[in-house]
Coordinates of all heavy atoms in Angstrom, one line a residue:
V112 N 6.0 34.1 -18.3 CA 5.5 34.7 -19.6 C 6.6 34.7 -20.6 O 7.6 35.4 -20.4 CB 5.0 36.1 -19.3 CG1 4.5 36.8 -20.6 CG2 3.9 36.1 -18.2
E113 N 6.4 33.9 -21.6 CA 7.4 33.8 -22.7 C 7.1 34.8 -23.8 O 6.0 35.1 -24.1 CB 7.4 32.4 -23.3 CG 7.6 31.2 -22.4 CD 6.3 30.7 -21.8 OE1 5.3 31.3 -21.8 OE2 6.4 29.5 -21.3
S114 N 8.2 35.2 -24.5 CA 8.1 36.2 -25.6 C 9.3 36.0 -26.5 O 10.3 35.4 -26.1 CB 8.0 37.6 -25.1 OG 9.1 38.0 -24.4
G115 N 9.2 36.6 -27.7 CA 10.3 36.7 -28.6 C 10.2 35.8 -29.8 O 11.0 35.8 -30.7
G116 N 9.2 34.9 -29.8 CA 9.0 34.0 -31.0 C 8.7 34.8 -32.2 O 8.1 35.9 -32.2
D117 N 9.0 34.2 -33.4 CA 8.7 34.9 -34.7 C 8.9 33.9 -35.8 O 9.4 32.8 -35.6 CB 9.7 36.1 -34.8 CG 9.2 37.2 -35.7 OD1 8.2 37.0 -36.4 OD2 9.7 38.3 -35.6
L118 N 8.7 34.4 -37.0 CA 9.0 33.7 -38.3 C 10.4 34.1 -38.6 O 10.6 35.3 -38.8 CB 8.0 34.0 -39.3 CG 8.3 33.5 -40.7 CD1 8.3 32.0 -40.8 CD2 7.2 34.1 -41.7
V119 N 11.3 33.2 -38.9 CA 12.6 33.5 -39.3 C 13.1 32.5 -40.3 O 12.6 31.4 -40.4 CB 13.6 33.5 -38.0 CG1 13.6 32.0 -37.4 CG2 14.9 33.9 -38.3
Q120 N 14.0 33.0 -41.2 CA 14.5 32.1 -42.3 C 15.5 31.1 -41.7 O 16.2 31.5 -40.7 CB 15.1 33.0 -43.4 CG 14.1 33.8 -44.2 CD 14.7 34.5 -45.3 OE1 16.0 34.6 -45.4 NE2 13.9 34.9 -46.3
P121 N 15.7 30.0 -42.4 CA 16.8 29.1 -41.9 C 18.2 29.8 -41.9 O 18.5 30.7 -42.8 CB 16.8 28.0 -43.1 CG 15.4 28.1 -43.5 CD 14.9 29.5 -43.5
G122 N 18.9 29.5 -40.8 CA 20.2 30.2 -40.6 C 20.1 31.5 -39.8 O 21.1 32.0 -39.4
G123 N 18.9 31.9 -39.6 CA 18.7 33.1 -38.8 C 18.8 32.9 -37.2 O 19.1 31.8 -36.8
S124 N 18.5 34.0 -36.5 CA 18.7 34.0 -35.0 C 17.4 34.6 -34.4 O 16.7 35.5 -35.0 CB 19.9 34.8 -34.6 OG 21.1 34.2 -35.1
L125 N 17.1 34.2 -33.2 CA 16.1 34.7 -32.4 C 16.6 34.7 -30.9 O 17.4 33.8 -30.5 CB 14.8 34.0 -32.5 CG 13.9 34.2 -33.7 CD1 12.7 33.2 -33.6 CD2 13.4 35.6 -33.7
R126 N 16.0 35.6 -30.1 CA 16.3 35.5 -28.7 C 14.9 35.5 -27.9 O 14.2 36.4 -28.1 CB 17.1 36.8 -28.2 CG 17.5 36.7 -26.8 CD 18.0 38.1 -26.3 NE 18.7 38.0 -25.0 CZ 18.8 39.0 -24.2 NH1 18.3 40.2 -24.5 NH2 19.6 38.9 -23.1
L127 N 14.7 34.4 -27.3 CA 13.5 34.3 -26.5 C 13.7 34.7 -25.0 O 14.8 34.6 -24.5 CB 13.1 32.8 -26.4 CG 12.9 32.1 -27.8 CD1 12.3 30.7 -27.6 CD2 12.0 32.9 -28.7
S128 N 12.6 35.3 -24.5 CA 12.7 35.7 -23.0 C 11.6 35.0 -22.2 O 10.5 34.8 -22.8 CB 12.6 37.3 -23.0 OG 13.6 37.9 -23.7
C129 N 11.8 34.8 -21.0 CA 10.8 34.3 -20.1 C 10.9 35.1 -18.8 O 11.9 35.0 -18.1 CB 11.0 32.8 -19.9 SG 9.9 32.1 -18.5
A130 N 9.9 35.8 -18.5 CA 9.8 36.6 -17.3 C 9.0 35.9 -16.2 O 7.9 35.4 -16.4 CB 9.1 37.9 -17.5
A131 N 9.6 35.7 -15.0 CA 9.1 34.8 -14.0 C 8.6 35.8 -12.8 O 9.2 36.8 -12.5 CB 10.0 33.8 -13.5
S132 N 7.5 35.3 -12.2 CA 7.1 36.1 -11.0 C 6.5 35.1 -10.1 O 6.1 33.9 -10.4 CB 6.1 37.1 -11.4 OG 4.9 36.6 -12.0
G133 N 6.4 35.5 -8.8 CA 5.7 34.6 -7.8 C 6.7 33.5 -7.2 O 6.2 32.7 -6.5
I134 N 7.9 33.6 -7.6 CA 9.0 32.7 -7.0 C 10.2 33.4 -6.7 O 10.5 34.5 -7.1 CB 9.3 31.5 -8.1 CG1 9.9 32.1 -9.3 CG2 8.0 30.7 -8.4 CD1 10.5 31.1 -10.2
N135 N 11.0 32.7 -5.8 CA 12.3 33.3 -5.5 C 13.2 32.8 -6.6 O 14.0 31.8 -6.5 CB 12.8 32.8 -4.1 CG 14.1 33.4 -3.7 OD1 14.7 34.2 -4.4 ND2 14.6 33.1 -2.5
F136 N 13.2 33.6 -7.7 CA 13.8 33.2 -9.0 C 15.2 32.7 -8.9 O 15.6 31.6 -9.4 CB 13.7 34.4 -9.9 CG 14.3 34.1 -11.3 CD1 13.5 33.4 -12.3 CD2 15.6 34.5 -11.6 CE1 14.0 33.2 -13.6 CE2 16.1 34.2 -12.9 CZ 15.3 33.6 -13.9
R137 N 16.0 33.4 -8.2 CA 17.5 33.1 -8.2 C 17.8 31.7 -7.6 O 19.0 31.2 -7.8 CB 18.2 34.2 -7.4 CG 18.0 34.3 -5.9 CD 18.7 35.3 -5.2 NE 18.3 36.7 -5.8 CZ 19.2 37.4 -6.5 NH1 20.4 37.0 -6.8 NH2 18.7 38.6 -6.9
I138 N 17.0 31.0 -6.9 CA 17.4 29.8 -6.3 C 16.9 28.6 -7.0 O 17.3 27.4 -6.7 CB 16.9 29.7 -4.8 CG1 15.3 29.5 -4.8 CG2 17.3 30.8 -3.9 CD1 14.8 29.1 -3.4
Y139 N 16.2 28.8 -8.1 CA 15.7 27.7 -8.9 C 16.4 27.5 -10.3 O 16.7 28.4 -11.0 CB 14.2 27.8 -9.1 CG 13.4 27.7 -7.8 CD1 12.8 28.8 -7.2 CD2 13.3 26.4 -7.2 CE1 12.1 28.6 -6.0 CE2 12.5 26.3 -6.0 CZ 12.0 27.4 -5.5 OH 11.3 27.2 -4.3
T140 N 16.5 26.2 -10.6 CA 16.8 25.8 -12.0 C 15.6 26.3 -12.9 O 14.5 26.1 -12.6 CB 17.1 24.4 -12.1 OG1 18.3 24.1 -11.4 CG2 17.3 24.0 -13.6
M141 N 16.1 26.8 -14.1 CA 15.1 27.3 -15.1 C 15.4 26.4 -16.4 O 16.5 26.2 -16.7 CB 15.2 28.7 -15.4 CG 14.9 29.6 -14.2 SD 13.2 29.5 -13.7 CE 12.3 30.1 -15.0
G142 N 14.4 26.2 -17.2 CA 14.6 25.4 -18.4 C 13.7 25.9 -19.5 O 12.7 26.6 -19.3
W143 N 14.1 25.7 -20.8 CA 13.4 25.8 -22.0 C 13.0 24.5 -22.5 O 13.9 23.6 -22.7 CB 14.1 26.7 -23.0 CG 14.2 28.1 -22.7 CD1 15.2 28.9 -22.0 CD2 13.2 29.1 -23.0 NE1 14.9 30.2 -22.0 CE2 13.7 30.4 -22.5 CE3 11.9 29.1 -23.6 CZ2 12.9 31.5 -22.7 CZ3 11.2 30.2 -23.8 CH2 11.7 31.5 -23.3
Y144 N 11.8 24.4 -23.0 CA 11.2 23.3 -23.6 C 10.6 23.6 -25.0 O 10.3 24.9 -25.1 CB 10.2 22.5 -22.7 CG 10.8 21.9 -21.5 CD1 11.1 22.7 -20.4 CD2 10.9 20.5 -21.4 CE1 11.7 22.2 -19.3 CE2 11.4 19.9 -20.2 CZ 11.8 20.7 -19.2 OH 12.3 20.2 -18.1
R145 N 10.4 22.7 -25.8 CA 9.7 23.0 -27.1 C 8.8 21.8 -27.4 O 9.0 20.7 -27.1 CB 10.6 23.3 -28.2 CG 11.4 22.2 -28.7 CD 12.5 22.7 -29.7 NE 13.3 21.6 -30.2 CZ 14.3 21.8 -31.0 NH1 14.7 23.1 -31.4 NH2 15.1 20.8 -31.4
Q146 N 7.7 22.2 -28.2 CA 6.7 21.2 -28.6 C 6.4 21.5 -30.1 O 5.8 22.5 -30.3 CB 5.5 21.1 -27.8 CG 4.6 20.0 -28.1 CD 3.5 19.7 -27.0 OE1 3.2 20.6 -26.2 NE2 2.9 18.6 -27.0
A147 N 6.8 20.5 -31.0 CA 6.4 20.6 -32.4 C 5.0 20.0 -32.6 O 4.7 19.1 -31.8 CB 7.5 20.0 -33.2
P148 N 4.4 20.4 -33.7 CA 3.1 19.8 -34.0 C 3.2 18.2 -34.0 O 4.0 17.7 -34.7 CB 2.7 20.4 -35.3 CG 3.4 21.7 -35.4 CD 4.7 21.4 -34.6
G149 N 2.3 17.6 -33.2 CA 2.2 16.1 -33.3 C 3.3 15.4 -32.6 O 3.4 14.2 -32.6
K150 N 4.1 16.2 -31.8 CA 5.2 15.6 -31.1 C 5.1 15.9 -29.6 O 4.4 16.9 -29.2 CB 6.6 16.1 -31.6 CG 6.8 15.6 -33.1 CD 8.2 15.9 -33.5 CE 8.5 15.4 -34.8 NZ 9.9 15.7 -35.3
Q151 N 5.8 15.2 -28.8 CA 5.8 15.5 -27.4 C 6.7 16.6 -27.0 O 7.7 16.9 -27.8 CB 6.3 14.2 -26.6 CG 5.3 13.1 -26.6 CD 5.8 11.9 -25.6 OE1 7.0 11.7 -25.4 NE2 4.8 11.2 -25.1
R152 N 6.4 17.3 -25.9 CA 7.3 18.4 -25.4 C 8.7 17.8 -25.1 O 8.7 16.7 -24.4 CB 6.6 19.0 -24.2 CG 7.2 20.3 -23.8 CD 6.4 21.0 -22.8 NE 5.1 21.4 -23.3 CZ 4.1 21.8 -22.6 NH1 4.2 22.0 -21.2 NH2 2.9 22.1 -23.1
Q153 N 9.7 18.5 -25.4 CA 11.0 18.0 -25.1 C 11.9 19.1 -24.5 O 11.7 20.3 -24.8 CB 11.7 17.5 -26.4 CG 11.9 18.5 -27.5 CD 12.6 17.9 -28.7 OE1 13.0 18.7 -29.6 NE2 12.9 16.7 -28.8
L154 N 12.8 18.7 -23.7 CA 13.8 19.7 -23.1 C 14.7 20.2 -24.1 O 15.3 19.4 -24.9 CB 14.5 18.9 -22.0 CG 15.6 19.8 -21.2 CD1 15.0 20.9 -20.5 CD2 16.4 18.9 -20.3
V155 N 14.9 21.5 -24.1 CA 15.9 22.2 -25.0 C 17.2 22.5 -24.2 O 18.3 22.2 -24.6 CB 15.3 23.4 -25.6 CG1 16.3 24.1 -26.4 CG2 14.1 23.0 -26.5
A156 N 17.0 23.2 -23.1 CA 18.1 23.7 -22.3 C 17.7 24.0 -20.9 O 16.5 24.3 -20.6 CB 18.7 24.9 -22.9
R157 N 18.7 23.9 -19.9 CA 18.4 24.2 -18.6 C 19.6 25.0 -18.0 O 20.7 24.8 -18.5 CB 18.2 22.9 -17.7 CG 16.9 22.3 -17.8 CD 16.9 20.8 -17.3 NE 17.2 20.8 -15.9 CZ 16.2 20.9 -15.0 NH1 15.0 21.1 -15.3 NH2 16.5 20.8 -13.7
V158 N 19.3 25.9 -17.0 CA 20.4 26.6 -16.3 C 20.1 26.5 -14.9 O 19.0 26.8 -14.4 CB 20.5 28.0 -16.9 CG1 19.2 28.8 -16.7 CG2 21.7 28.7 -16.2
T159 N 21.1 26.1 -14.1 CA 20.9 26.0 -12.7 C 21.0 27.4 -12.0 O 21.4 28.4 -12.6 CB 22.0 25.1 -12.0 OG1 23.3 25.8 -12.2 CG2 22.0 23.8 -12.8
S160 N 20.7 27.4 -10.7 CA 20.8 28.6 -9.9 C 22.3 29.2 -9.9 O 22.5 30.4 -9.8 CB 20.4 28.4 -8.5 OG 21.1 27.4 -7.9
G161 N 23.2 28.3 -10.1 CA 24.6 28.7 -10.1 C 25.1 29.0 -11.5 O 26.3 29.4 -11.6
G162 N 24.2 28.9 -12.5 CA 24.6 29.3 -13.8 C 25.2 28.2 -14.7 O 25.6 28.4 -15.8
R163 N 25.1 27.0 -14.2 CA 25.5 25.9 -15.0 C 24.5 25.5 -16.0 O 23.3 25.2 -15.7 CB 25.9 24.6 -14.2 CG 26.4 23.4 -14.9 CD 26.8 22.3 -14.0 NE 27.9 22.7 -13.1 CZ 28.4 22.0 -12.2 NH1 27.9 20.8 -12.0 NH2 29.4 22.4 -11.4
S164 N 24.8 25.3 -17.3 CA 23.8 25.1 -18.3 C 24.0 23.7 -19.0 O 25.2 23.1 -18.9 CB 24.0 26.1 -19.4 OG 25.3 26.2 -20.0
S165 N 23.0 23.2 -19.5 CA 23.0 21.9 -20.2 C 22.0 22.0 -21.4 O 21.1 22.8 -21.4 CB 22.6 20.7 -19.3 OG 21.3 21.0 -18.7
Y166 N 22.3 21.2 -22.4 CA 21.5 21.3 -23.7 C 21.2 20.0 -24.3 O 21.9 19.0 -24.1 CB 22.4 22.1 -24.7 CG 22.8 23.5 -24.3 CD1 23.9 23.8 -23.6 CD2 21.9 24.6 -24.6 CE1 24.2 25.0 -23.2 CE2 22.2 25.8 -24.1 CZ 23.3 26.1 -23.5 OH 23.6 27.3 -23.0
A167 N 20.1 20.0 -25.0 CA 19.8 18.8 -25.9 C 20.8 18.8 -26.9 O 21.3 19.8 -27.5 CB 18.4 19.0 -26.4
I168 N 21.1 17.5 -27.4 CA 22.1 17.4 -28.4 C 21.8 18.0 -29.7 O 22.7 18.6 -30.3 CB 22.4 15.8 -28.7 CG1 23.0 15.1 -27.4 CG2 23.2 15.6 -29.9 CD1 23.1 13.6 -27.6
S169 N 20.5 18.1 -30.0 CA 20.1 18.7 -31.2 C 20.4 20.2 -31.3 O 20.4 20.8 -32.4 CB 18.6 18.4 -31.5 OG 17.8 19.0 -30.4
V170 N 20.5 20.9 -30.2 CA 20.7 22.3 -30.2 C 22.1 22.8 -29.6 O 22.5 24.0 -29.7 CB 19.7 23.0 -29.4 CG1 18.2 22.6 -29.8 CG2 19.8 22.8 -27.9
K171 N 22.9 21.8 -29.1 CA 24.2 22.1 -28.6 C 25.1 22.8 -29.6 O 25.2 22.3 -30.8 CB 24.8 20.9 -28.0 CG 25.9 21.1 -27.0 CD 26.2 19.8 -26.2 CE 27.2 20.2 -25.1 NZ 27.6 19.0 -24.3
G172 N 25.6 23.9 -29.2 CA 26.5 24.7 -30.2 C 25.8 25.8 -30.9 O 26.5 26.6 -31.6

Side-chain angles (χ1 to χ4, degrees):
V112 180
E113 302 94 338
S114 62
D117 206 345
L118 170 64
V119 62
Q120 291 188 344
S124 298
L125 280 176
R126 188 195 196 203
L127 306 183
S128 300
C129 171
S132 60
I134 61 171
N135 188 357
F136 178 84
R137 65 181 63 247
I138 71 172
Y139 290 106
T140 292
M141 300 295 296
W143 282 98
Y144 292 73
R145 67 186 181 187
Q146 187 167 20
K150 295 189 177 182
Q151 288 190 332
R152 193 170 296 172
Q153 61 176 190
L154 176 65
V155 175
R157 283 165 62 87
V158 61
T159 68
S160 59
R163 182 175 297 178
S164 57
S165 58
Y166 299 91
I168 292 174
S169 59
V170 306
K171 201 167 186 178

